[in-house]
Amino acid sequence: MAKPSSRDELIEYALRKLGAPVIEINVDREQAEDRLDEALQFFTERHFDGVERVYFSHELTSDDITNRFILTDELATPKGFPSGGPSGRDIVSVVKVFQFGPLKGIQSMFDVRYQMALSDYFGINTGLGYQSALGLASYDSAKRYISMIQDFFQPEKEIRFSKVTNRLLIDSELDQNVDVGDFLIIEAYASLDPDKFTEIYNDRLLKKYVTALIKKQWGSNLSKFAGVQLPGGVQLNGPQIYAEALQDIQIIEQEFYSQYELPIDFIVA
């Protein structure tokens, strides 16, 4: 069984699937390349294997604080991923920016979280220093209470992201909450580069989708000669090939939507 691992191999696979070299597929190589690009773009947008959840760290600059946005193409490449460009990844969406600000930044020995960390090991069994020890119940209750206080006084900041402008806008007075040199942790989804993660080219649904798109291009090309009779009485039937390809594409895209698309996040007000 063919296992494409590159652009050329996937295009050749699709052409063979359509009948080449037994049948001449009237599609230019550049047209096939364009259809493959369209298929990869759709795969990234609609297939969970086309993207991966990643975490970026970004050191704030004076421009970031003044502008109140971060250029996502300048984010550092996450550990364990190949570099390629400023960030090495094409960010598809940003999920959130982890809490930051004065309350989060307290790291002295008088911080209540620091004191809890000192007594975590023994506190679980001794009730955090109190005589009426409740074990894990009291420990969990204290952690939840601290988390509630932090959420009340320092909620997560609202963010907006545009893939077109590569700007992550943070709706907060950054100059009052952070300093130059502070780090933000950003959770996002980034596309996987098929030239580095070549298993993408062998995805079952992607192979079917590329084949259907090239078939559609083939039918479109032949439709220009509809009704023309070739020597021997052979007549080109481009409209039928085009219609069959449209039907194939509709079925494949529906499979993307129903089985392979990441679920929509719930919005909690």
Side-chain angles (χ1 to χ4, degrees), residues 46 48 53 189 257 259-266:
R46 300 295 181 179
F48 59 77
R53 180 178 292 184
Y189 280 97
Y257 300 142
Q259 299 184 35
Y260 295 95
E261 188 173 19
L262 287 171
I264 299 174
D265 289 334
F266 291 100

Side-chain angles (χ1 to χ4, degrees), residues 54-60 70 75-76 78 94-101 104 156-157 159 168 170 178 182-188:
V54 291
Y55 297 89
F56 296 94
S57 62
H58 177 70
E59 184 176 1
L60 289 168
I70 296 170
L75 295 178
V94 176
V95 179
K96 71 174 181 178
V97 176
F98 284 84
Q99 290 171 303
F100 62 89
K104 190 68 177 177
E156 289 187 6
K157 309 300 186 293
I159 59 173
L168 170 60
I170 304 174
V178 293
D182 287 351
F183 280 87
L184 295 185
I185 305 300
I186 300 164
E187 181 181 349

Side-chain angles (χ1 to χ4, degrees), residues 220-237:
S220 177
N221 292 346
L222 292 181
S223 296
K224 308 299 188 297
F225 304 98
V228 176
Q229 195 167 13
L230 300 177
V234 178
Q235 188 172 350
L236 300 177
N237 198 353

Side-chain angles (χ1 to χ4, degrees), residues 181-216:
D182 287 351
F183 280 87
L184 295 185
I185 305 300
I186 300 164
E187 181 181 349
Y189 280 97
S191 63
L192 296 175
D193 185 351
D195 292 328
K196 294 170 182 172
F197 303 97
T198 56
E199 282 294 321
I200 291 176
Y201 290 118
N202 193 42
D203 182 85
R204 177 188 64 85
L205 207 55
L206 178 63
K207 290 190 291 186
K208 292 173 62 176
Y209 195 52
V210 172
T211 302
L213 290 180
I214 293 178
K215 182 178 181 179
K216 178 184 173 184

Side-chain angles (χ1 to χ4, degrees), residues 113 116 120 138-148:
R113 290 163 299 181
M116 280 193 67
D120 273 355
S138 61
Y139 178 77
D140 180 68
S141 177
K143 295 287 283 186
R144 289 174 183 269
Y145 182 66
I146 292 173
S147 179
M148 182 185 68

